[in-house]
Amino acid sequence: MFIIVANKGMRSWISGIFDNETAAEQYIDTIPDELKEFQQRIVLNHLNYPFYIVERDGFQFLTQDGSYCSIGADGIYRG
């Protein structure tokens, strides 16, 4: 899974979620240059649809079986 996370100051948001790299790259190409510096592409190899997103101190991605990975409020992937 390819997740585009943006961080600007104290704000964080998910810009996009894609199941293939080509679609993620095409999306990034559409982002205006002045906003690209805030975008970060995260690759989560073991994450597949369906999954849940929990927003608390960043983002946590939960699978149906209960396994998870997280991206902190600072935008750093924590596995």
Side-chain angles (χ1 to χ4, degrees):
M1 204 59 64
F2 298 85
I3 312 228
I4 313 301
V5 177
N7 292 290
K8 184 176 182 184
M10 297 293 292
R11 297 178 25 210
S12 295
W13 64 94
I14 296 174
S15 292
I17 298 173
F18 304 91
D19 61 358
N20 75 62
E21 188 172 14
T22 301
E25 292 300 324
Q26 288 173 342
Y27 172 75
I28 289 171
D29 289 342
T30 68
I31 297 172
D33 289 338
E34 63 270 10
L35 298 177
K36 283 185 181 177
E37 68 181 282
F38 305 112
Q39 311 294 317
Q40 177 182 9
R41 185 181 71 158
I42 310 280
V43 179
L44 303 175
N45 291 320
H46 63 283
L47 189 65
N48 296 302
Y49 293 123
F51 61 90
Y52 305 94
I53 302 170
V54 177
E55 184 179 7
R56 179 180 30 201
D57 298 324
F59 299 102
Q60 295 179 346
F61 302 92
L62 303 165
T63 63
Q64 287 185 317
D65 69 0
S67 61
Y68 76 97
C69 57
S70 64
I71 300 171
D74 55 6
I76 297 175
Y77 170 64
R78 292 190 168 68

